[in-house]
């Protein structure tokens, strides 16, 4: 048996290796505080769960339209100030991302990905047979410099991936820079896939949405904002001409998001409790961000995360070695390598964990660093 060529450049070995290392440490009886978590550590709000249970009992257990339940699409359209026909509900943000990738990444084209970035974008580009062009952001507070984009831009670029607030850095892009990038893309006939999955988790400046631009596919969902990662509910906002090709993929891929999940979220939005549910969680994340940033800032050069629940830290040694050694001190972190080039000495720290655990982890990291010195 042989896997298809399109997968030959895609590796799962690094993630598997880290997973195995953590599992081994746990089996050896080590107590590990995990700072590797890629989802809110809160349960889905009970308001959502109750609505979903009711919806299931009412028969929301079948397919919905490929585009999603109309009442949910309407609520999303209202939030963004777009028309219902510009909204397609998907089985999570991930489904929307792969729909957009298959719809717009031409084989042999170039795909621009600012680094560091969410590892799935690299996978999508490789699966679609594209060449990856990475732009460094380490020296610009993890924000891509439009000038740098200009230098690599050309008519052979099919797609630019943007993700703000960003995983793994927590960086939030200014409206000015985001617009400049959309314009550069438009001048070259490229599509911007703007992954805004963390848009509700921000601390000071509200992130700008790029939904509504002609050449932008906006991807979002409720996995992070309502802590619903297991429910698989996301959405895409784009011009109808862009939604059409994505529908060709969606109708054979996700088909539709779970009906009861769509109904529950539609009701949350119609009742106007969405913002309140989000802000409960964000106020906790803010305390944790402030704590982790102030403490780790004493030992590393860190960029203050403005959104999401991650921090990307230069630990100034090989990230795999650091992550392995830190396990002996009872802390698991994600090495920077899967997030793109130039990340060999970086690790991602997720503060989606309790303050008690974060305190333990910070103390262990300090102990490791004092013994390393
Ligand atoms: N985009 C980014 C940047 C993410 O970090 C994640 C999940 O970690 C996703 C998309 C996927 O979200 P979903 O659970 O909605 O598929």
């Amino acid at each position: 048996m042989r896997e298809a060529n399109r997968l030959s450049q895609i590796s799962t070995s690094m993630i598997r290796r880290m997973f195995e290392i953590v599992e081994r440490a746990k089996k050896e009886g080590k107590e590990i505080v995990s700072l590797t978590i890629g989802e809110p550590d809160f349960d889905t709000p009970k308001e959502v769960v109750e609505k979903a249970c009711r919806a299931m009992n009412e028969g929301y257990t079948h397919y919905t339209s490929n585009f999603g339940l109309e009442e949910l699409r309407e609520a999303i359209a209202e939030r963004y100030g777009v028309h219902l026909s510009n909204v397609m509900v998907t089985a999570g943000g991930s489904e929307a991302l792969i729909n957009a990738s298959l719809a717009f990444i031409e084989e042999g084209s170039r795909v621009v990905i600012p680094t560091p970035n969410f590892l799935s974008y690299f996978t999508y580009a490789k699966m679609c047979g594209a060449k990856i062009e990475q732009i460094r952001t380490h020296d610009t507070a993890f924000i891509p410099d439009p000038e740098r984009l200009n230098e690599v831009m050309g008519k052979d670029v099919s797609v630019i991936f943007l993700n703000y607030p960003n995983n793994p850095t927590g960086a939030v892009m200014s409206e000015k820079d985001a617009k400049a990038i959309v314009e550069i893309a438009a001048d070259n006939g490229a599509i911007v896939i703007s992954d805004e999955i963390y848009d509700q988790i921000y601390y000071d400046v509200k992130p700008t949405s790029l939904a509504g631009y002609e050449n932008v596919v906006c991807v979002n969902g409720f996995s992070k904002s309502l802590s619903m990662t297991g429910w698989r509910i996301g959405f895409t906002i784009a011009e109808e001409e862009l939604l059409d090709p994505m529908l060709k993929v969606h109708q054979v891929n996700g088909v539709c998001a779970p009906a009861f999940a769509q109904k529950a979220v539609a009701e949350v939005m119609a009742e106007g409790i969405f913002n309140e549910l989000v802000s409960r969680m964000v106020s906790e994340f803010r305390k944790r961000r402030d704590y982790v940033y102030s403490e780790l800032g004493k030992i590393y050069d860190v960029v203050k995360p403005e959104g999401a629940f991650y921090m990307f830290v230069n630990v100034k040694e090989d990230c795999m070695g650091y992550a392995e050694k830190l396990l002996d001190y009872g802390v698991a972190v994600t090495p920077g390598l899967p997030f793109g080039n130039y990340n060999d000495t970086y690790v991602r720290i997720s503060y989606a964990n309790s303050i008690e655990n974060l305190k333990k982890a910070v103390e262990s990291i300090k102990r490791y660093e004092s013994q390393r010195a």
Side-chain angles (χ1 to χ4, degrees):
M1 238 190 353
R2 207 171 65 91
E3 71 180 14
N5 264 340
R6 76 176 70 85
L7 300 183
S8 61
Q9 300 296 311
I10 296 161
S11 157
T12 54
S13 59
M14 205 154 12
I15 294 164
R16 206 181 310 140
R17 187 167 153 214
M18 260 332 279
F19 181 76
E20 281 164 5
I21 292 169
V22 175
E23 284 306 296
R24 198 180 336 121
K26 281 186 189 159
K27 269 197 197 126
E28 286 166 6
K30 288 185 189 139
E31 205 183 300
I32 307 284
V33 175
S34 178
L35 305 184
T36 63
I37 301 164
E39 60 177 337
D41 54 313
F42 303 100
D43 289 335
T44 305
K46 68 175 184 343
E47 290 87 340
V48 183
V49 176
E50 281 162 8
K51 289 181 193 313
C53 290
R54 197 170 341 111
M56 264 188 261
N57 281 318
E58 284 169 1
Y60 283 86
T61 53
H62 298 270
Y63 292 130
T64 67
S65 131
N66 287 138
F67 279 98
L69 279 186
E70 204 158 303
E71 56 188 293
L72 177 59
R73 293 171 69 206
E74 252 161 23
I76 295 169
E78 198 184 309
R79 172 171 143 198
Y80 281 88
V82 297
H83 190 261
L84 174 88
S85 60
N86 301 120
V87 181
M88 181 160 69
V89 178
T90 55
S94 301
E95 200 236 330
L97 287 169
I98 198 159
N99 292 347
S101 300
L102 288 167
F104 302 113
I105 300 178
E106 197 62 78
E107 203 177 329
S109 69
R110 282 189 299 145
V111 166
V112 176
I113 308 177
T115 171
N117 230 322
F118 182 45
L119 54 124
S120 298
Y121 309 146
F122 301 93
T123 304
Y124 300 139
K126 287 175 191 167
M127 271 186 189
C128 294
K131 296 184 213 80
I132 297 171
E133 193 75 65
Q134 304 194 32
I135 5 178
R136 271 192 90 131
T137 63
H138 304 71
D139 54 346
T140 49
F142 299 127
I143 301 293
D145 176 0
E147 277 309 308
R148 246 176 226 175
L149 174 66
N150 246 332
E151 283 163 21
V152 302
M153 212 49 204
K155 300 282 179 206
D156 60 336
V157 171
S158 52
V159 160
I160 302 171
F161 278 100
L162 296 182
N163 168 227
Y164 300 96
N166 178 264
N167 174 7
T169 65
V172 175
M173 203 179 206
S174 73
E175 186 169 358
K176 183 168 157 269
D177 283 346
K179 280 187 179 166
I181 288 180
V182 171
E183 267 170 36
I184 295 169
D187 290 345
N188 289 275
I191 298 284
V192 172
I193 300 179
S194 179
D195 179 352
E196 301 175 7
I197 199 94
Y198 294 101
D199 73 330
Q200 300 297 310
I201 305 174
Y202 63 90
Y203 305 110
D204 297 311
V205 183
K206 191 174 185 322
T208 313
S209 174
L210 293 178
Y213 287 94
E214 261 181 26
N215 61 326
V216 171
V217 172
C218 165
V219 169
N220 204 333
F222 299 94
S223 286
K224 317 287 173 173
S225 56
L226 289 178
S227 195
M228 293 178 72
T229 47
W231 299 60
R232 312 313 303 139
I233 176 157
F235 59 87
T236 308
I237 299 179
E239 294 287 313
E240 282 179 69
E241 300 81 74
L242 298 184
L243 279 189
D244 253 8
M246 284 187 277
L247 177 63
K248 291 183 187 174
V249 186
H250 174 61
Q251 68 183 354
V252 293
N253 188 21
V255 181
C256 68
F260 54 87
Q262 293 192 53
K263 177 70 177 161
V265 173
E267 284 184 6
V268 160
M269 295 184 85
E271 284 176 20
I273 56 171
F274 177 72
N275 289 343
E276 182 205 321
L277 297 182
V278 173
S279 64
R280 266 192 228 159
M281 192 172 65
V282 174
S283 64
E284 282 306 308
F285 278 141
R286 179 193 295 278
K287 287 183 212 152
R288 298 164 180 193
R289 191 262 326 231
D290 289 347
Y291 171 72
V292 174
Y293 172 70
S294 76
E295 289 303 316
L296 292 189
K298 292 175 189 161
I299 45 176
Y300 301 118
D301 291 333
V302 282
V303 177
K304 192 175 192 177
E306 290 297 338
F309 38 77
Y310 309 109
M311 196 148 98
F312 206 55
V313 182
N314 188 356
V315 294
K316 302 209 167 129
E317 67 169 296
D318 168 64
C319 62
M320 293 301 285
Y322 175 92
E324 281 193 42
K325 282 183 270 168
L326 209 57
L327 279 175
D328 288 335
Y329 289 75
V331 182
V333 295
T334 308
L337 286 181
F339 300 103
N341 288 347
Y342 318 113
N343 297 319
D344 328 37
T345 63
Y346 285 80
V347 297
R348 185 186 76 175
I349 288 187
S350 158
Y351 47 89
N353 212 323
S354 66
I355 281 280
E356 296 71 48
N357 278 341
L358 292 174
K359 283 187 176 159
K360 277 191 213 161
V362 162
E363 289 314 311
S364 300
I365 293 173
K366 283 185 180 166
R367 205 153 34 83
Y368 168 71
E369 283 298 339
S370 68
Q371 285 168 11
R372 178 158 81 122

